[in-house]
Amino acid sequence: LISLAPITHLDWHPFDILSGAHTPVDGRIYRVLAGQILPDLVYCNDLTLVISERAAATLRSSTLQGWDLFPASVVDRTDRTTSAYGLSVIGHCDVVRAPIGPSPGRFGPSTIQPLAESWDGGDLALVRDTAVVLATEQVRDLVMATGLAGFQFLPVESVEFPF
């Protein structure tokens, strides 16, 4: 398990970076807080995603849509710096939430069903107003075929959301 945190100050909310509303031009620097082996994808504690140069090259050589990259670097616990990229998910989709059991109010455990009419066609898409990332089977197949590490794919219908 690896944990990363940004060490560069931001004047904008990290969700703006994740969603592509703001793209850092000077790059971001992340510090390793825990773990030692950097996988190809890390979901950071500030809602941003960091990917390896190998993962970035894989995305760039594909026809997948719904993403953008910005420069980043990762400083490990021995102060060694590794080049990386931040991943913004610029695709979007609305969902219908189906409550699981009785819920005392508007929020509670639920599953989601993407709404096809709201999906912009991106192979990576954020569920609107959340940090939940949806991926097409083409993304999953590419990641599996190239052996990229740090990704986890679950069928949408099997995922329970606590909100």
Side-chain angles (χ1 to χ4, degrees), residues 61-122:
S61 68
S62 76
T63 59
L64 298 176
Q65 299 178 8
W67 58 272
D68 195 12
L69 300 177
F70 59 88
S73 57
V74 176
V75 179
D76 70 15
R77 293 187 293 177
T78 65
D79 288 331
R80 184 180 57 124
T81 300
T82 302
S83 294
Y85 290 90
L87 175 65
S88 294
V89 179
I90 59 175
H92 61 271
C93 182
D94 290 326
V95 296
V96 172
R97 295 183 180 173
I100 302 171
S103 178
R106 185 173 154 208
F107 298 103
S110 63
T111 60
I112 62 170
Q113 181 61 46
L115 291 172
E117 61 272 13
S118 70
W119 175 47
D120 69 354

Side-chain angles (χ1 to χ4, degrees), residues 12-161:
W12 52 87
H13 193 278
F15 185 77
D16 291 338
I17 296 173
L18 176 63
S19 67
H22 180 83
T23 302
V25 292
D26 296 334
R28 299 225 33 219
I29 302 172
Y30 294 85
R31 164 90 49 196
V32 173
L33 300 178
Q36 298 195 16
I37 298 172
L38 189 65
D40 294 300
L41 170 76
V42 178
Y43 188 79
C44 301
N45 64 357
D46 72 339
L47 298 179
T48 56
L49 298 168
V50 173
I51 64 173
S52 67
E53 288 187 325
R54 182 171 83 116
T58 299
L59 278 174
R60 285 184 175 132
S61 68
S62 76
T63 59
L64 298 176
Q65 299 178 8
W67 58 272
D68 195 12
L69 300 177
F70 59 88
S73 57
V74 176
V75 179
D76 70 15
R77 293 187 293 177
T78 65
D79 288 331
R80 184 180 57 124
T81 300
T82 302
S83 294
Y85 290 90
L87 175 65
S88 294
V89 179
I90 59 175
H92 61 271
C93 182
D94 290 326
V95 296
V96 172
R97 295 183 180 173
I100 302 171
S103 178
R106 185 173 154 208
F107 298 103
S110 63
T111 60
I112 62 170
Q113 181 61 46
L115 291 172
E117 61 272 13
S118 70
W119 175 47
D120 69 354
D123 293 288
L124 290 174
L126 278 179
V127 173
R128 195 175 310 275
D129 300 325
T130 75
V132 175
V133 178
L134 300 178
T136 62
E137 290 179 346
Q138 289 80 3
V139 173
R140 183 201 60 203
D141 293 348
L142 178 66
V143 167
M144 299 309 217
T146 55
L148 295 174
F151 292 78
Q152 180 181 21
F153 297 96
L154 301 169
V156 171
E157 62 274 2
S158 71
V159 177
E160 293 182 14
F161 294 92

